[in-house]
Amino acid sequence: MPDDRDLLQQVALGSGAAMRGVYSRCGAKAFAVVLRVLPTRADAEEVLQESFLEVWRRARDFDPERGGLETWVMTIARTRAIDRLRSLGTAARVAEGATHQPPPLSATPPSPDDATAWGEDRARVRAALRTLPAEQRAVVELAYFEGLSQREISARTGDPLGTVKTRARLALEKLAELLGPK
């Protein structure tokens, strides 16, 4: 019977028989560990499968100086189970938090007064944008409507980064002047 290092070297070389040997030796214990951590059997089965996939991928990383095969496999399984538990908790907190939050503004129809004010604001912004030189307007539109950084704008337009920064600054100064308090 091969020692732990030899067995995992065979796994690293792609031996299905060696992987079956690792699973038959460690699978039941790993499943017990995972099942103790996770709330459902389905989650535990999925994490067990992920754990042995990680064993397959990381077989070359095994170091017998740090512990035996069973310890290594149990550590991988336990870590994966804890990661899954955390992600389940995060998802549950997000879902729970969403039930106690008011609907987002975009889901609430605006009042007629708000809709009118927003329409007027949009018209003012469009008019102000039309007064900008084309190069400055392009920088603002790429930044605000496409979410590009100045470096990304530079790459897309082919203009030097310093030029993009100057255009953005000049455009924002002019927009602030045009859109300031009425």
Side-chain angles (χ1 to χ4, degrees):
M1 182 168 156
D3 70 358
D4 295 349
R5 183 189 303 247
D6 291 339
L7 184 61
L8 283 168
Q9 284 177 345
Q10 290 173 21
V11 169
L13 293 171
S15 169
M19 189 65 202
R20 282 189 294 280
V22 171
Y23 186 83
S24 67
R25 192 163 143 194
C26 304
K29 288 180 188 175
F31 187 62
V33 166
V34 169
L35 199 54
R36 275 190 299 241
V37 173
L38 294 169
T40 68
R41 185 175 184 88
D43 285 328
E45 289 170 351
E46 192 171 325
V47 167
L48 182 69
Q49 181 179 5
E50 291 170 4
S51 299
F52 276 93
L53 183 58
E54 187 171 341
V55 167
W56 178 268
R57 287 184 184 140
R58 292 183 44 206
R60 282 178 171 60
D61 299 339
F62 175 71
D63 181 3
E65 301 295 320
R66 298 183 69 201
L69 173 65
E70 288 90 355
T71 303
W72 186 67
V73 172
M74 295 318 123
T75 301
I76 290 172
R78 183 176 177 277
T79 301
R80 285 237 172 224
I82 290 169
D83 289 346
R84 174 64 60 92
L85 188 63
R86 285 182 183 140
S87 71
L88 292 171
T90 299
R93 283 192 302 278
V94 168
E96 178 66 23
T99 61
H100 297 321
Q101 296 292 324
L105 291 177
S106 61
T108 307
S111 69
D113 290 340
D114 286 342
T116 301
W118 291 343
E120 291 170 359
D121 288 344
R122 261 194 302 270
R124 283 184 65 215
V125 169
R126 276 194 213 107
L129 281 171
R130 281 193 298 272
T131 68
L132 295 176
E135 298 87 4
Q136 291 178 12
R137 184 174 54 250
V139 168
V140 170
E141 289 173 347
L142 289 170
Y144 287 93
F145 300 125
E146 293 191 34
L148 299 181
S149 69
Q150 290 178 340
R151 189 173 307 280
E152 292 167 330
I153 293 169
S154 172
R156 178 169 303 173
T157 62
D159 295 323
L161 181 59
T163 301
V164 170
K165 289 180 178 189
T166 300
R167 287 177 181 163
R169 181 180 51 80
L170 293 172
L172 292 176
E173 286 173 357
K174 183 159 187 176
L175 289 173
E177 183 181 307
L178 294 170
L179 297 172
K182 297 179 187 177

